[in-house]
Amino acid sequence: MDLVPHLPHALSGELDGVLNNLVDEIMKINSDIAVTAMKVYIKFMLGKRYLLSIDCNNSAIIVYFCAKPGQLEDPKKILKDVSSVGHHGYGDLRFDLNDAKQIPTVCEFVNQVINL
């Protein structure tokens, strides 16, 4: 699913592919996940529940998980609490995705959000 043209920020060429792979992998987790490209972010919902949103800047794909700080198991402490910081989209926990090797980590967090 090519959602890159819907985002206002240009991604480097390799991150275009990473974003599309990430969306595909998230969709494999649960076939009922709905993906919608908004004006400045991409939202992912399961039924009427927000799971995460994705925003981008020039050097990273920014994933916001719809969970409160402390709700997700994060032993490496890689999630950033952005509950008091303004940002596009939904979610209080931020993860900056910089390469395709991090996609499984994002998918693990998605599974955790689904199971909350």
Side-chain angles (χ1 to χ4, degrees):
M1 178 177 292
D2 189 9
L3 295 171
V4 174
H6 298 284
L7 295 170
H9 305 290
L11 287 169
S12 67
E14 66 184 47
L15 284 180
D16 281 0
V18 172
L19 176 61
N20 289 322
N21 289 341
L22 174 62
V23 172
D24 290 343
E25 290 301 313
I26 292 171
M27 297 300 293
K28 289 178 187 176
I29 293 170
N30 187 314
S31 61
D32 293 328
I33 294 176
V35 181
T36 306
M38 306 303 286
K39 188 172 183 178
V40 294
Y41 62 92
I42 301 167
K43 70 178 180 179
F44 295 77
M45 297 180 70
L46 186 57
K48 293 185 179 195
R49 183 171 164 227
Y50 288 92
L51 299 175
L52 67 140
S53 61
I54 294 177
D55 190 5
C56 298
N57 62 31
N58 296 352
S59 60
I61 298 166
I62 304 164
V63 182
Y64 296 101
F65 296 100
C66 295
K68 299 292 180 200
Q71 283 187 305
L72 301 183
E73 189 174 318
D74 180 19
K76 295 180 183 176
K77 306 293 182 212
I78 54 178
L79 295 175
K80 181 179 178 184
D81 177 1
V82 293
S83 58
S84 61
V85 179
H87 59 277
H88 295 292
Y90 297 88
D92 288 340
L93 298 172
R94 175 180 168 156
F95 180 81
D96 291 357
L97 179 74
N98 299 303
D99 65 49
K101 293 176 187 172
Q102 297 172 306
I103 290 175
T105 302
V106 172
C107 290
E108 174 56 35
F109 287 130
V110 172
N111 275 314
Q112 289 186 49
V113 171
I114 289 171
N115 292 318
L116 288 177

